[in-house]
Amino acid sequence: MANSKYEYVKSFEIEDEIVPPNIIVVRVDGRDFRRFSQVHEFEKPNDKKALELMNTCAVAVLEQFPDIIFSYGYSDEYSFVLKKGTKFYQRRASKILSLLVSFFTSIYVTKWKELFPQKDLRYAPSFKSRITCCATLEVLQAYLAWRQNECHLNNQYDTCLWHLINSGKSVKEAEEMLKGSQKQDRNELLYQSFNINYKKDIQAIFRQGTCVLKAEVEDIVKFKDDGYPVKRPRKKVITVHSENIASRRFWNDQLCLLKELGQFTEDLNKPKTEYLKSFQYESRLIPSTWVVIRIDGCHFHRFSEVNEFEKPNDAQALNLMNSCAVGILEEFKDIVFSYGVSDEYSFVLKKESQLYERHASNIVSSVVSIFSSMYTVKWKEFFPDKELKQPPYFDGRAVCYPSSEILRDYLSWRQVDCHINNQYNTCFWMLVKSGKSKSDAQNDLKGTQAQDKNKLLDRLSNVTDYYNTLPLMFRQGSSVYWEKEEKKMVNNEEGSVGKIRKIVVVKYCNIIDPSFWEEHPEILNEKINCCRVHTLHCSNSYTL
């Protein structure tokens, strides 16, 4: 593939490798799950089916990614621990946290009906994620003790709160009664007022949370002639509950954990407060810079084959991506523009944005999670006759650009790539459909330039200038942004009047040409002084 003059923008990407021997922990948390649980009428204080759905997602994550060997979760959160020597995605933090939250989200949506067959998913659920680096096994032990202690405190409080509410107290009255209470106070309240022994009567899944981990088991692979079984060791994902996951007894009994992480040398019954600040630290993006959140489909070559997408372009698949992008702009008003092609999308956050206090992990993971959730939820709208055969998931990153000129060069780089890749893929699949093998088609295209490819397409299609007859969406990608629309309203006294509103539109434009930005100065909110280079081509807009 030819390089473009815009590729210098890659130098703004920052390497975020987590240096060994740090142990990587990825924590996934529900976004506004209080509202989600209310809308979907979860039982209070605990909905067992909702927790089982979370556990199902955690099991799927461990089965999908071999380097994740342990996880712990309660309520709407899960923490995933990677093996100490992992090379997973070159230990790049943004890649790891984004693809895990994306996969977790897609599984949550796809498994919803299994756990809630009588409930419709009323809106797309989403999660955020962050990475905690544990320098030693002792730090990991302290992290796990902290999360399980939070599980106990939160569940004990919620159990008291909802029993008080169910007994007739208002929410405000119940909160006032529990204000300043300690663990022992709450235990006594439950026993004396409701005859509940917290440790004996409350299920372990609520009190202790859930561990999902890999255990070594022996499976029978075949039988010898004499009937004797031949066994082979393999790793199996199991679900367990423990009173203290930070204890030596629990941890050191798990052979897989000992092998991949090591053993705990002492018991830890409560969190070490000196570590808590490091567990809660999050890095911020550079202030007063344009932020681009770029997401890419993970293993989408296989995903497109399994789900039988048309080659080289599937219009419905691209429209599904565009619909998700529209949803992202509607969810995050600070995102002013996005550009997408194939299985990728770039979202531009305005310079002055304080979204999530500019915490990179929250921004990236939230965008990726919502996109994944919408993709899964909306699948049937665009493929009514196709079942989703495997969950989609994406990775993401955030990159800061100091000026609107460099930002536009970044977007130009993506559109140049769109053209180069689409022209190549159009040639490749036309050759394959003409009877060539994939390897022969690759050899035929090796070293060819754009002009050579255009001639090849004209010859194979018997159509002059065939490439330029393809839909603009294929050749130029999709631009998604806010646009003002005037809606006429009838007033009997004054006649018709106009009302201005902003809507998200999807257009297929030449965003390399300065004229696009001159015609839409409100997108970047900056005056652009530049010369027109060539004519702007832009399709009719539509709203989703």
Side-chain angles (χ1 to χ4, degrees), residues 372-492:
S372 306
S373 188
M374 288 182 175
Y375 193 102
T376 311
V377 168
K378 290 173 175 284
W379 176 267
K380 276 295 183 182
E381 292 181 30
F382 293 87
F383 296 102
D385 300 322
K386 281 185 181 180
E387 293 298 324
L388 185 59
K389 295 181 180 178
Q390 69 178 48
Y393 61 105
F394 302 80
D395 64 51
R397 77 206 78 170
V399 184
C400 298
Y401 296 101
S403 70
S404 56
E405 290 78 17
I406 296 174
L407 171 65
R408 293 198 307 275
D409 280 354
Y410 166 83
L411 294 168
S412 298
W413 170 50
R414 299 319 307 139
Q415 189 162 55
V416 168
D417 254 25
C418 168
H419 164 68
I420 293 171
N421 293 335
N422 184 66
Q423 189 186 44
Y424 179 92
N425 290 334
T426 302
C427 291
F428 175 82
W429 284 104
M430 193 170 279
L431 285 168
V432 170
K433 290 175 182 179
S434 72
K436 296 258 187 182
S437 68
K438 290 183 179 180
S439 60
D440 286 342
Q442 288 173 339
N443 288 331
D444 286 355
L445 293 172
K446 191 177 292 184
T448 56
Q449 303 300 312
Q451 187 176 358
D452 304 322
K453 294 185 181 73
N454 282 332
K455 289 180 180 178
L456 175 65
L457 290 173
D458 291 352
R459 176 172 59 82
L460 291 174
S461 66
N462 291 320
V463 175
T464 303
D465 198 20
Y466 173 80
Y467 185 74
N468 286 321
T469 68
L470 297 176
L472 282 170
M473 180 168 63
F474 300 166
R475 293 184 285 122
Q476 295 189 340
S478 302
S479 298
V480 184
Y481 53 93
W482 290 93
E483 195 170 76
K484 290 181 180 179
E485 177 190 67
E486 183 174 355
K487 187 176 181 181
K488 288 188 177 180
M489 303 177 68
V490 177
N491 186 309
N492 292 331

Side-chain angles (χ1 to χ4, degrees), residues 357-376:
E357 298 179 328
R358 297 181 76 91
H359 288 149
S361 60
N362 277 348
I363 294 172
V364 172
S365 62
S366 296
V367 170
V368 170
S369 178
I370 295 175
F371 196 97
S372 306
S373 188
M374 288 182 175
Y375 193 102
T376 311

Side-chain angles (χ1 to χ4, degrees), residues 230-363:
V230 176
K231 297 181 179 180
R232 293 285 186 273
R234 74 175 182 89
K235 290 178 180 177
K236 180 182 179 182
V237 177
I238 62 172
T239 300
V240 298
H241 305 283
S242 172
E243 190 72 39
N244 184 0
I245 62 173
S247 68
R248 286 181 299 172
R249 181 178 179 182
F250 169 75
W251 190 266
N252 295 344
D253 280 348
Q254 315 301 328
L255 296 180
C256 190
L257 300 183
L258 291 177
K259 178 181 177 182
E260 299 293 356
L261 290 167
Q263 65 177 356
F264 290 164
T265 57
E266 61 180 28
D267 285 323
L268 188 61
N269 296 314
K270 60 180 182 178
K272 292 188 175 182
T273 55
E274 61 266 31
Y275 292 134
L276 295 188
K277 192 171 182 180
S278 67
F279 295 154
Q280 296 168 325
Y281 171 78
E282 289 189 78
S283 62
R284 297 173 190 260
L285 296 167
I286 302 171
S288 300
T289 57
W290 296 100
V291 178
V292 172
I293 302 100
R294 178 176 160 195
I295 69 171
D296 287 280
C298 289
H299 306 298
F300 253 61
H301 281 294
R302 171 162 173 73
F303 180 84
S304 64
E305 289 175 359
V306 169
N307 288 289
E308 299 174 342
F309 284 0
E310 291 183 19
K311 300 294 184 180
N313 293 290
D314 190 304
Q316 285 300 88
L318 293 175
N319 285 329
L320 173 54
M321 292 285 290
N322 293 343
S323 180
C324 297
V326 168
I328 293 293
L329 265 72
E330 291 174 340
E331 177 75 15
F332 299 108
K333 299 301 188 288
D334 280 8
I335 294 178
V336 296
F337 184 82
S338 66
Y339 174 76
V341 54
S342 185
D343 63 343
E344 77 168 61
Y345 243 101
S346 297
F347 298 94
V348 179
L349 205 62
K350 62 185 181 182
K351 289 178 74 171
E352 65 273 19
S353 174
Q354 291 301 313
L355 179 65
Y356 289 121
E357 298 179 328
R358 297 181 76 91
H359 288 149
S361 60
N362 277 348
I363 294 172

Side-chain angles (χ1 to χ4, degrees), residues 153 156-157 160 178 180-191:
L153 293 176
Q156 189 190 47
Y157 179 91
C160 291
L178 293 172
S181 62
Q182 302 299 311
K183 287 191 292 185
Q184 186 60 35
D185 302 326
R186 294 193 284 269
N187 279 334
E188 289 178 3
L189 171 66
L190 288 172
Y191 187 75

